Amino acid sequence: MEQLLTDSRRLVFPETTLFIALYGARRNGHVFIADLYLRGVRNFIVYQKTDFKDYPEANIILVEDGLRALQQIAVFHRHQFDPVVVGITGSNGKTVVKEWLNQLLEDRFQIVRSPRSYNSQIGVPLSIWQLNEHHQLALFEAGISKKGEMQSLERMIMPTIGVFTNIGEAHNQGFENIESKILEKLELFNHSDVLIYPADQKELEKVISAWHSLHSSTNLISVGEKEDAVIRLEKINKRNGKTTLSIVYEGRSVEFDLGFDSNMAIQNALTCTGVLLYLKVPMRELQERMNRLNPVNMRMELKTGINHSSVINDSYSADISSLKMALDFLFQQKQHPKRTIILSDILESGMKPYNLYKEVAGLLEKYPVDRLIGIGEEITASANLFSDTGINQRVFFINTDSFLNVLPSLDFRDETILLKGARVFGFERIDQFLTLQVHETLLEVNLEAMAHNLKQYQQILQPSTKIMAMVKAFSYGTGGFEIARLLEFSKVDYLAVAYVDEGVSLRKSGIRLPIVVMNTEENALAQLIEWQLEPVIFSFRGLDALNKIIKQEAIGHFPVHIELETGMNRLGFSSAQIPELLDQLKGSDLRVQSVFSHLAASEEAQQDDFSREQYERYVSMINRISKSLAYPFLRHISNSAALVRNPEFQLDMVRIGIGLYGIDPANSKLLDLKEVGTLKTTIAQIKEISKGETVGYNRRGVADRSMKIGTIRLGYADGYPRSLGNGIGKIFYKGRLVPTIGSISMDMTMIDISDISDAKEGDELIIFGNELPVTNLATWAGTIPYDILAGISQRVKRIYFE
């Protein structure tokens, strides 16, 4: 078998795939076997007895535990090869260290590495499966969230070189204390020849010293400023966003430059020096290699392109494994019927060009695209290998400059364009041309964070409880089909929008999930029917209007959702209206899919009694409805807050809204949510003003001293509230919060940057995100996070990344 598959959505090569059914809190892998068999998969590992007669051509192996079987396969596969293996763990920095080691060593070794952040109980075996006889060096991450997990990862990875990046607070809840967490992570290195770790973290140093008394055969290489560190940081000099480091190793000193100045980046770079020096990279060569180290961009960006196109920018590296992932992401996008890939030479693969590009051509047969643009001498020389791929248009260029010369004459329109290039080809210039240039203020939307938040909620739901994801109001300001596509891929059961036109837009973009329209207008019923949207009915007027058009169109069993009024006093049928509602439903061609209500104050503990009253009223009303209807329907009342604070309200389905976007309205400790959106802008101009001078409209900002004022490209037309002017609002800039000064203008805001010595025009600032939560902005503005998110203007460019 060439491919191991645990996620049925990612099937590409059915003939050579082994599907391993896994059991999760909400998913049983066995339910996907029938579909995979129809799609051509013939090899399965299962943990439940399966009726062989349903799959006459299948090879089925029955095991006790699918995950254990997957890991045993990885252990066996690992034993077939003997490369140098670097195992990397720590609280953060694992992926950066892995990618930097690849940058630093790719011309010395044939390297295999974990794709992106594949470091879990499932991700590690899938990473190891890539290993083959050509690889001389392997870089594998290992991540854990609770005690007892690292032992199985160690058996699979078997690292010869151990790297401990640092220790922090991530996943603290899974361990008794920090010492317990460090000891669990150290399990990865029980049989390693060497362990490289930061010398300046006291708790880590203490636990490693004790651990080493039981593992004395493992050499220790500490890196840091401590006087007794094996690799000692002697001098550090930061200036203009760059850093010069001087280190001492075995009595010799070397100095090198880094193109960044954050403390975390410096620590990660020092960790990499430890690996290189252990591998006996000469000092002079080490200096040259570290000087060319590039920051790692580990994300795949989805952006709006020119001429109604979309651009996926994944040009931070080009290798076979990341190409597969990029193509997989490309094929998740359904908004355009046409697909183009712009692909550079794949460097340092260790394969002969013929074999390499034959494999690439095979990938493009499995992932059919309409147009291939190859850039580079090797891919151009191999152009004939792509002639039998079925790609309609194939063009090749020796370098990026020659492509850019003709790019304006090429027709890029109504398509999804994947940019996949090695860093040296400078594909950012292509990206700049193809991406719709709108506004230097942009909203970055982290799709991976949203998927994480969804999983957080799934973990506290009953396996049978369905999920309706709220994507109304342009997905709370974060985007339309891009968010819906992720949620569809993540197997939520329903999407919900506010109005019909939102649902139509999603349908036109290829979304096939059931879509519920919460506010159905009578003049939009024809569109609703045409695009197979499911309306919420909350009044007899709406019910009558829908019944009429359904009869005119001779449609039977049209799906609807009934809203009940239980105390919100907004929309819905009251308890007194239930008898008439049931009479009208009995004589109609409508099919009730769900009956629901809204909780008015589920996030507030002082309103718990009222929430309970609402729930009891709701249950009483749906009991009357279920006795009358001759078929089952879904019941739901819980929103993001209620499903955490009132788990007994879960019923058949829950509606998750703001929680998906990283804001926990319940303020619970049960969830580890990540903010999905980061709003950024830049400084347009910097001015020096004297004491007493005024700033902005109506002269409301007054300098109380000589000041330095930055004007940023953001105003109330972008969704930044006017109430945040005059120092009420703060902006995150160079590691600190700086206040606004004067009134907020339509397109500009002024900030006091007097205390920022290295401020310069063009610098980037964070309006909200991980560094400055949107809840803070809402509090300062006297509103709620929903208002801030939904208010972000459409002129603000959205960038989606994974």
Side-chain angles (χ1 to χ4, degrees):
M1 289 294 97
E2 294 179 10
Q3 283 79 35
L4 300 182
L5 182 69
T6 60
D7 186 338
S8 64
R9 299 167 297 186
R10 299 188 182 275
L11 177 66
V12 181
F13 311 105
E15 300 86 0
T16 56
T17 288
L18 170 63
F19 177 70
I20 303 170
L22 301 180
Y23 177 78
R26 296 183 57 80
R27 299 288 177 200
N28 179 343
H30 288 79
V31 304
F32 305 111
I33 290 175
D35 175 61
L36 288 169
Y37 185 82
L38 288 173
R39 293 160 67 188
V41 178
R42 292 295 179 265
N43 302 291
F44 301 89
I45 289 180
V46 302
Y47 58 86
Q48 292 177 356
K49 288 187 177 179
T50 304
D51 195 340
F52 283 78
K53 74 176 189 298
D54 294 333
Y55 314 107
E57 298 176 6
N59 303 306
I60 300 178
I61 300 173
L62 179 63
V63 298
E64 289 186 5
D65 185 314
L67 178 59
R68 191 179 308 163
L70 172 65
Q71 294 178 345
Q72 287 173 341
I73 291 170
V75 170
F76 175 81
H77 188 73
R78 168 69 178 86
H79 277 283
Q80 307 311 301
F81 310 102
D82 191 29
V84 175
V85 177
V86 181
I88 307 168
T89 194
S91 294
N92 48 50
K94 297 184 291 294
T95 303
V96 171
V97 167
K98 176 199 69 185
E99 293 297 329
W100 276 353
L101 287 174
N102 182 69
Q103 283 184 30
L104 293 164
L105 297 168
E106 63 183 354
D107 58 352
R108 265 185 164 247
F109 301 95
Q110 304 308 319
I111 299 177
V112 62
R113 68 193 193 277
S114 306
R116 300 190 184 272
S117 298
Y118 273 38
N119 58 33
S120 67
Q121 299 292 310
I122 297 172
V124 166
L126 295 178
S127 298
I128 289 170
W129 187 250
Q130 303 174 102
L131 189 61
N132 65 43
E133 66 275 10
H134 301 296
H135 294 127
Q136 302 164 313
L137 178 66
L139 308 171
F140 294 135
E141 295 181 48
I144 56 172
S145 57
K146 60 185 179 182
K147 199 167 183 179
E149 288 187 330
M150 190 60 88
Q151 189 176 21
S152 61
L153 300 186
E154 192 274 338
R155 280 198 299 266
M156 291 182 281
I157 296 173
M158 294 172 53
T160 48
I161 299 174
V163 173
F164 204 132
T165 58
N166 58 43
I167 195 69
E169 297 181 357
H171 302 297
N172 274 354
Q173 65 271 27
F175 302 92
E176 298 170 13
N177 50 44
I178 192 73
E179 181 180 348
S180 170
K181 184 164 72 168
I182 295 171
L183 285 171
E184 178 69 22
K185 289 180 180 291
L186 286 170
E187 290 276 328
L188 179 62
F189 313 121
N190 281 347
H191 302 97
S192 298
D193 297 332
V194 64
L195 171 58
I196 297 158
Y197 68 96
D200 301 321
Q201 292 194 313
K202 292 182 180 179
E203 193 71 34
L204 183 59
E205 171 88 5
K206 175 184 171 185
V207 178
I208 286 178
S209 296
W211 172 86
H212 191 239
S213 65
L214 301 175
H215 301 84
S216 56
S217 62
T218 301
N219 293 322
L220 296 183
I221 297 180
S222 55
V223 184
E225 295 184 76
K226 278 189 66 178
E227 195 65 35
D228 60 350
V230 176
I231 300 174
R232 182 166 57 85
L233 176 59
E234 186 178 40
K235 187 172 61 177
I236 180 169
N237 182 22
K238 297 182 182 181
R239 67 182 184 283
N240 299 326
K242 297 184 178 181
T243 306
T244 300
L245 299 178
S246 177
I247 63 171
V248 178
Y249 176 62
E250 294 183 342
R252 296 181 60 195
S253 179
V254 64
E255 188 175 273
F256 54 86
D257 295 325
L258 301 175
F260 28 76
D261 62 359
S262 75
N263 291 336
M264 180 59 71
I266 292 168
Q267 179 180 308
N268 290 335
L270 287 171
T271 299
C272 291
T273 66
V275 177
L276 268 64
L277 290 171
Y278 178 76
L279 290 172
K280 302 192 182 307
V281 174
M283 281 281 203
R284 185 178 297 277
E285 190 178 330
L286 170 78
Q287 185 178 40
E288 187 274 327
R289 287 175 183 273
M290 297 302 293
N291 286 347
R292 72 189 188 199
L293 192 63
N294 290 309
V296 175
N297 179 7
M298 296 175 294
R299 64 195 202 181
M300 208 176 319
E301 296 177 338
L302 173 63
K303 300 182 273 191
T304 301
I306 59 174
N307 302 326
H308 308 289
S309 62
S310 298
V311 177
I312 299 170
N313 184 9
D314 189 28
S315 56
Y316 79 95
S317 68
D319 54 68
I320 289 291
S321 60
S322 66
L323 175 60
K324 290 177 182 176
M325 297 189 71
L327 287 169
D328 188 55
F329 187 68
L330 171 65
F331 273 75
Q332 291 175 33
Q333 312 309 314
K334 309 292 185 186
Q335 60 269 27
H336 305 294
K338 183 180 176 183
R339 298 184 179 97
T340 291
I341 178 171
I342 302 176
L343 177 65
S344 80
D345 282 351
I346 294 177
L347 306 176
E348 314 294 350
S349 69
M351 299 172 66
K352 293 181 178 179
Y354 177 87
N355 295 332
L356 172 63
Y357 293 104
K358 188 72 174 174
E359 186 172 347
V360 172
L363 270 177
L364 295 179
E365 284 187 67
K366 301 293 185 180
Y367 292 96
V369 298
D370 300 278
R371 175 165 51 175
L372 166 65
I373 298 172
I375 298 178
E377 293 181 3
E378 286 192 356
I379 196 171
T380 299
S382 305
N384 63 308
L385 296 176
F386 297 92
S387 57
D388 296 326
T389 56
I391 301 173
N392 296 329
Q393 185 180 358
R394 304 180 305 278
V395 289
F396 297 88
F397 300 87
I398 294 297
N399 53 45
T400 304
D401 286 334
S402 60
F403 171 64
L404 288 169
N405 288 337
V406 302
L407 196 158
S409 65
L410 297 176
D411 185 25
F412 290 95
R413 185 179 302 277
D414 298 311
E415 60 190 296
T416 304
I417 306 159
L418 170 62
L419 300 180
K420 186 65 180 163
R423 186 182 296 275
V424 295
F425 283 88
F427 271 22
E428 62 272 10
R429 292 181 291 163
I430 302 174
D431 176 58
Q432 189 172 16
F433 183 92
L434 293 176
T435 301
L436 188 64
Q437 303 300 313
V438 185
H439 195 351
E440 284 197 39
T441 298
L442 58 89
L443 178 67
E444 291 184 344
V445 181
N446 186 338
L447 298 177
E448 192 172 346
M450 176 165 282
H452 166 85
N453 295 339
L454 177 61
K455 287 179 182 177
Q456 289 290 303
Y457 281 105
Q458 287 173 330
Q459 289 172 6
I460 61 175
L461 292 177
Q462 297 296 323
S464 60
T465 304
K466 297 181 182 296
I467 293 175
M468 180 182 290
M470 311 303 291
V471 293
K472 60 184 181 178
F474 200 53
S475 296
Y476 293 67
T478 61
F481 73 84
E482 300 91 349
I483 300 299
R485 173 71 57 215
L486 171 72
L487 295 169
E488 183 174 56
F489 185 77
S490 300
K491 302 289 188 183
V492 302
D493 302 282
Y494 279 89
L495 299 176
V497 297
Y499 295 101
V500 168
D501 57 350
E502 293 178 310
V504 171
S505 177
L506 294 182
R507 284 282 185 254
K508 287 181 177 179
S509 298
I511 301 299
R512 293 290 171 258
L513 268 181
I515 299 175
V516 176
V517 179
M518 305 299 284
N519 300 294
T520 306
E521 299 163 304
E522 292 177 35
N523 60 6
L525 289 176
Q527 270 193 307
L528 182 141
I529 294 168
E530 178 186 355
W531 291 98
Q532 298 180 336
L533 306 174
E534 302 181 11
V536 167
I537 302 299
F538 49 79
S539 70
F540 290 117
R541 177 181 171 181
L543 183 59
D544 291 341
L546 184 60
N547 266 323
K548 286 177 184 176
I549 194 167
I550 291 299
K551 287 178 181 177
Q552 289 173 8
E553 300 290 333
I555 299 172
H557 301 293
F558 189 79
V560 297
H561 300 258
I562 303 298
E563 182 173 358
L564 302 179
E565 174 55 71
T566 59
M568 182 81 159
N569 287 320
R570 187 174 64 178
L571 297 173
F573 294 98
S574 68
S575 178
Q577 293 174 315
I578 295 294
E580 185 180 351
L581 171 65
L582 291 173
D583 284 343
Q584 293 202 27
L585 288 174
K586 284 177 186 176
S588 75
D589 290 313
L590 304 177
R591 171 89 179 193
V592 177
Q593 299 295 103
S594 79
V595 179
F596 71 98
S597 188
H598 282 282
L599 295 170
S602 57
E603 66 275 11
E604 298 180 14
Q606 63 269 33
Q607 300 288 353
D608 280 351
D609 288 343
F610 185 73
S611 294
R612 171 65 60 180
E613 280 181 40
Q614 279 195 270
Y615 177 74
E616 290 172 354
R617 287 177 202 155
Y618 169 72
V619 170
S620 174
M621 294 166 75
I622 58 173
N623 285 342
R624 292 160 62 190
I625 294 172
S626 62
K627 287 177 183 177
S628 175
L629 294 181
Y631 53 84
F633 54 83
L634 296 172
R635 304 164 302 155
H636 52 108
I637 194 171
S638 285
N639 53 14
S640 298
L643 69 90
V644 176
R645 300 192 64 253
N646 306 101
E648 69 276 18
F649 293 0
Q650 282 185 24
L651 301 173
D652 303 316
M653 185 158 66
V654 296
R655 302 186 301 274
I656 309 180
I658 197 71
L660 286 175
Y661 305 89
I663 298 161
D664 181 7
N667 291 315
S668 71
K669 302 298 182 184
L670 291 175
L671 303 173
D672 173 29
L673 300 183
K674 297 179 179 179
E675 288 221 18
V676 167
T678 299
L679 183 61
K680 297 179 175 182
T681 193
T682 59
I683 296 180
Q685 190 175 36
I686 295 175
K687 290 181 180 292
E688 304 274 354
I689 64 173
S690 303
K691 181 178 180 179
E693 288 194 72
T694 60
V695 178
Y697 283 120
N698 305 113
R699 307 185 67 199
R700 291 211 168 90
V702 181
D704 57 4
R705 66 192 192 286
S706 294
M707 298 179 73
K708 185 164 57 176
I709 303 299
T711 300
I712 65 175
R713 295 177 169 93
L714 176 84
Y716 60 77
D718 300 298
Y720 194 68
R722 289 195 76 237
S723 58
L724 293 181
N726 303 301
I728 295 172
K730 310 290 189 297
I731 309 291
F732 188 83
Y733 180 40
K734 290 188 178 291
R736 67 181 74 182
L737 294 178
V738 296
T740 59
I741 182 169
S743 299
I744 308 297
S745 305
M746 179 179 286
D747 309 302
M748 297 287 176
T749 293
M750 280 68 76
I751 56 175
D752 178 3
I753 54 174
S754 304
D755 298 327
I756 308 291
S757 59
D758 57 344
K760 59 183 183 297
E761 293 173 0
D763 277 354
E764 188 176 81
L765 314 94
I766 305 295
I767 309 306
F768 63 73
N770 288 327
E771 300 87 349
L772 176 55
V774 70
T775 50
N776 289 22
L777 263 72
T779 299
W780 296 333
T783 185
I784 56 177
Y786 302 76
D787 184 30
I788 300 293
L789 289 173
I792 300 169
S793 167
Q794 293 293 311
R795 78 177 186 181
V796 172
K797 181 167 66 175
R798 272 76 170 170
I799 293 179
Y800 304 87
F801 65 91
E802 194 176 84

